[in-house]
């Protein structure tokens, strides 16, 4: 008799635990990311300077990256999630095909940050249960990393090349003597 009471109480305890976990699983609802949502990121996309534009016009990978960043900037969470893999691949392609004059530490560090943010967005987009706020947050960080790259490209295009700088310094020395 005691054995039956013990088994009955054990079954009752285990039965309650399975019911609680199933009740918890029912409470967790996956929010569907809507393609018609009006939610977008609030960060602005920086423009590239005319000097940098002129030097980068033949660099097709940058033109493709800029076009995709404009798409990502205007995208809601659904489309940001949809294009996350494309952004990650395009950033990698841009990094691989970087021209010799752009292969400097400052540009490489900005590309590394951009690559990290695009990979994080791509990883987040592969999750089954992801909220639109998470996608939009990752997309905002991606746009900020792109803006940082644009700032650096603008600064690089305005920088005085070393040979011109040396000539200017030589002219200054000649004037002083």
């Amino acid at each position: 008799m005691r054995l039956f009471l013990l088994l009955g109480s054990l079954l009752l305890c285990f039965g309650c635990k399975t019911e609680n976990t199933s009740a918890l699983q029912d409470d967790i609802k996956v929010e569907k990311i809507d393609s018609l949502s009006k939610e977008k990121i609030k960060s602005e996309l920086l423009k590239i300077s005319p000097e940098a534009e002129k030097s980068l016009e033949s660099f097709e990978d940058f033109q493709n990256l800029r076009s995709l960043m404009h798409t990502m900037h205007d995208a809601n969470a659904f489309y940001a999630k949809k294009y996350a893999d494309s952004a990650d691949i395009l950033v990698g392609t841009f990094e691989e095909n970087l021209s010799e004059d752009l292969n400097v530490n400052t540009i490489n560090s900005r590309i590394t940050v951009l690559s990290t943010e695009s990979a994080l967005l791509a990883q987040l987009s592969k999750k089954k249960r992801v909220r639109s706020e998470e996608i939009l947050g990752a997309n905002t960080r991606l746009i900020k990393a792109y803006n940082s790259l644009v700032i650096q490209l603008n600064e690089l295009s305005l920088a005085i090349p070393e040979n011109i700088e040396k000539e200017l310094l030589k002219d200054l020395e000649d004037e002083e003597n």
Side-chain angles (χ1 to χ4, degrees):
M1 184 72 168
R2 288 184 186 178
L3 184 61
F4 288 119
L5 285 174
L6 181 62
L7 286 175
S9 62
L10 285 174
L11 287 174
L12 185 62
C13 289
F14 286 119
C16 292
K17 286 186 180 181
T18 55
E19 285 180 24
N20 286 341
T21 57
S22 65
L24 287 176
Q25 290 174 351
D26 291 340
D27 288 343
I28 299 173
K29 293 184 180 176
V30 178
E31 176 186 336
K32 291 200 177 207
I33 298 178
D34 186 16
S35 64
L36 300 176
S37 173
K38 300 288 185 197
E39 268 187 82
K40 294 182 182 175
I41 60 174
K42 293 171 180 55
S43 296
E44 290 299 317
L45 204 58
L46 297 179
K47 294 181 181 179
I48 194 154
S49 70
E51 294 85 10
E53 178 74 37
K54 192 187 290 186
S55 65
L56 291 170
E57 68 186 355
S58 64
F59 190 27
E60 190 176 327
D61 289 329
F62 178 75
Q63 301 304 328
N64 293 336
L65 179 66
R66 180 171 60 174
S67 175
L68 184 64
M69 287 301 124
H70 281 280
T71 301
M72 296 296 281
H73 176 262
D74 296 333
N76 61 21
F78 177 82
Y79 290 107
K81 183 178 177 180
K82 182 177 178 180
Y83 294 128
D85 284 335
S86 300
D88 192 33
I89 291 169
L90 198 53
V91 169
T93 303
F94 173 74
E95 185 176 16
E96 287 175 13
N97 298 330
L98 198 61
S99 64
E100 194 63 37
D101 57 334
L102 294 178
N103 197 4
V104 294
N105 286 339
T106 54
I107 299 293
N108 285 330
S109 65
R110 298 319 188 276
I111 293 172
T112 301
V113 172
L114 185 64
S115 179
T116 302
E117 293 301 337
S118 67
L120 288 172
L121 178 61
Q123 183 180 21
L124 187 62
S125 71
K126 291 177 183 166
K127 285 176 128 180
K128 288 184 180 181
R129 294 182 181 175
V130 64
R131 295 188 339 250
S132 63
E133 294 86 22
E134 293 175 308
I135 294 288
L136 289 175
N139 195 23
T140 301
R141 291 188 300 275
L142 177 70
I143 294 300
K144 285 180 181 178
Y146 172 76
N147 282 343
S148 179
L149 175 65
V150 167
I151 290 169
Q152 197 59 49
L153 288 170
N154 288 342
E155 286 181 10
L156 187 64
S157 69
L158 295 175
I160 299 174
E162 286 182 36
N163 54 356
I164 295 174
E165 186 177 4
K166 287 179 185 177
E167 287 179 29
L168 291 174
L169 289 174
K170 186 178 178 183
D171 289 343
L172 261 168
E173 286 177 3
D174 289 342
E175 287 178 11
E176 288 178 358
N177 293 331

